[in-house]
Amino acid sequence: MVPSAQAACSRRAVISRAAVTEKPVTTNGTTARAKPGVPEGTPIVTPQNLPSRPRRNRRSETFRSGIRENWLSPAHFILPIFVHEGSSNEPIASMPGINRLAYGKNVVDHVAEARSLGVNQVVIFPKTPDHLKTPSAQEAFNPNGLSQRTIRLLKDAFPDVEIYTDVALDPYNSDGHDGIVRDDGVILNDETVEYLCRQAVSQAEAGADCVSPSDMMDGRVGAIRRALDREGHTHVSIMSYTAKYASAFYGPFRDALASAPKAGQAHRRIPPNKKEYQMDPANYREALREAAADEAEGADIMMVKPGMPYLDVVRSLRDNTSLPISVYHVSGEYAMLKAAAERGWLNEKDAALEALMCFRRAGADLILTYYSVEAAKWLAGEK
């Protein structure tokens, strides 16, 4: 044992004996006495010689809040809303507290509540009736489709609400894929992109502020930008799902929209998952390649999906672009928090707000979260 280590052990031995006798301890000419109000058996020690003590900066809530590096507000939230053609709201069993909203007054009322709490950004996900779904998903760009009507409905009610859309074919595709499926199971890229462009333009014409391609087809951001500009929608933004992973955390969302891949028929092979176009969860560098392409093609915002399991990817995009970064706090993450809270295993408010703060700390500017309304209430001090 080196001399310095021996000396340290010797001092600890003296302190340990003092803890038993509760007598003052003198080390290097400094005398330490028992502090008032400490539990019996607390050791008597001399202060460590520490020029830097980080705990000094945590001493009070006033000081902690004054030097806090990140903050959370309703302005950071984008509220996802599920819309359907029914006459009443339908609870989503795998997402407690979340409903498919009946098109019309129920949608308006829900967004009005969110706005009253400071959440003024929404993203629309339509549940397309099965009879309108086809293998080519042409309902996606129907000017009177559910998504387009919902955009107009909300813009009429709240002209200043920021409306994001989902640009992908899976809500309209009878095969349940984000792209058109060839009979041999190949997901067609360029043909799909053509329909994504038509979908984005139809959403812009309905009044969308920002279209959000979530499909992960190659080249779709540039193609959509050109299509929007060609039709005079230069003011409409693109929030690209830049790093969307083939994740196991999407299950409740697919329940909500009935958008999971369907089984193939005798003459058609339908891929059972979306791994051919969504990213491999094992990959990190690939996200940088996608980000470089999206930025070059004209993306205005870049998204990472899912959120918590991919905070490293959020940080990576934040460090490699000057564009705003969004993150999707996905349905599976929401459902896990809800399930644990229902069982009393964690404090839902504290855990949810911590998760949302983690996204901000990692570098996200915007957060798509099903907790938007609840979190806004908690931040406002409501119980």
Side-chain angles (χ1 to χ4, degrees):
M1 183 180 292
V2 297
S4 60
Q6 289 175 330
C9 286
S10 176
R11 287 195 297 273
R12 285 196 294 270
V14 171
I15 292 169
S16 177
R17 288 192 295 274
V20 176
T21 63
E22 297 188 353
K23 294 179 179 180
V25 173
T26 301
T27 305
N28 295 331
T30 301
T31 301
R33 299 181 181 277
K35 296 179 180 178
V38 300
E40 182 179 352
T42 300
I44 302 171
V45 300
T46 55
Q48 300 179 72
N49 183 18
L50 298 177
S52 175
R53 287 181 178 260
R55 283 189 59 190
R56 286 195 288 260
N57 286 350
R58 306 173 195 146
R59 64 179 178 267
S60 71
E61 176 55 29
T62 297
F63 195 72
R64 289 192 299 272
S65 63
I67 63 170
R68 189 160 289 142
E69 298 173 32
N70 296 285
W71 68 97
L72 193 64
S73 82
H76 297 126
F77 303 152
I78 301 176
L79 171 65
I81 56 174
F82 299 109
V83 185
H84 77 123
E85 296 278 19
S87 59
S88 60
N89 293 346
E90 296 179 349
I92 301 168
S94 54
M95 299 177 70
I98 303 299
N99 298 298
R100 299 183 193 91
L101 301 174
Y103 172 79
K105 184 178 183 300
N106 289 7
V107 174
V108 173
D109 288 348
H110 187 60
V111 174
E113 180 189 14
R115 282 167 53 86
S116 73
L117 296 163
V119 179
N120 198 41
Q121 303 183 88
V122 301
V123 57
I124 297 168
F125 295 105
K127 184 182 185 300
T128 306
D130 287 344
H131 72 273
L132 294 177
K133 295 182 179 184
T134 62
S136 58
Q138 294 180 60
E139 179 66 16
F141 47 89
N142 178 356
N144 292 311
L146 182 56
S147 178
Q148 289 82 352
R149 283 185 283 121
T150 303
I151 295 168
R152 291 194 292 268
L153 175 74
L154 290 176
K155 277 296 182 181
D156 286 344
F158 315 109
D160 65 334
V161 69
E162 192 78 8
I163 296 182
Y164 298 74
T165 65
D166 179 45
V167 179
L169 300 188
D170 56 330
Y172 316 91
N173 189 331
S174 55
D175 297 324
H177 277 281
D178 295 46
I180 300 171
V181 185
R182 203 167 64 187
D183 284 352
D184 60 358
V186 172
I187 310 295
L188 299 175
N189 192 92
D190 295 2
E191 293 83 352
T192 295
V193 169
E194 169 62 25
Y195 275 3
L196 297 177
C197 290
R198 298 188 194 185
Q199 182 183 19
V201 168
S202 75
Q203 294 169 346
E205 290 175 345
D209 299 289
C210 184
V211 298
S212 309
S214 64
D215 56 287
M216 293 303 289
M217 298 296 127
D218 293 336
R220 89 275 206 214
V221 172
I224 289 171
R225 183 72 271 162
R226 291 188 295 273
L228 290 171
D229 292 353
R230 187 170 57 246
E231 298 299 324
H233 301 296
T234 57
H235 61 289
V236 174
S237 302
I238 298 176
M239 178 173 70
S240 174
Y241 286 58
T242 294
K244 181 179 180 179
Y245 286 84
S247 172
F249 288 89
Y250 302 152
F253 179 95
R254 291 173 182 168
D255 290 344
L257 294 184
S259 61
K262 307 298 190 295
Q265 300 172 348
H267 67 292
R268 301 192 73 225
R269 177 184 172 272
I270 307 300
N273 55 55
K274 304 188 177 186
K275 295 180 179 181
E276 183 184 322
Y277 45 97
Q278 294 178 357
M279 288 174 54
D280 187 333
N283 291 357
Y284 171 86
R285 296 190 305 271
E286 186 181 7
L288 297 178
R289 182 182 182 189
E290 291 281 2
D294 284 357
E295 185 164 4
E297 291 178 21
D300 298 288
I301 307 167
M302 293 196 287
M303 184 201 289
V304 176
K305 181 181 180 181
M308 288 291 284
Y310 297 88
L311 292 178
D312 59 328
V313 180
V314 176
R315 182 77 260 168
S316 177
L317 265 62
R318 173 70 289 143
D319 291 342
N320 285 279
T321 182
S322 60
L323 293 179
I325 301 299
S326 62
V327 64
Y328 203 141
H329 190 209
V330 298
S331 59
E333 299 173 77
Y334 172 86
M336 288 192 301
L337 285 171
K338 283 289 182 181
E342 286 177 355
R343 288 161 176 76
W345 294 342
L346 51 73
N347 180 298
E348 182 180 13
K349 172 188 172 182
D350 291 348
L353 290 178
E354 181 179 340
L356 297 174
M357 182 61 79
C358 286
F359 298 138
R360 294 280 293 142
R361 189 196 65 238
D365 301 286
L366 298 169
I367 306 168
L368 287 77
T369 177
Y370 303 101
Y371 271 112
S372 292
V373 171
E374 283 179 288
K377 289 179 179 178
W378 290 329
L379 292 172
E382 293 186 28
K383 293 183 179 180

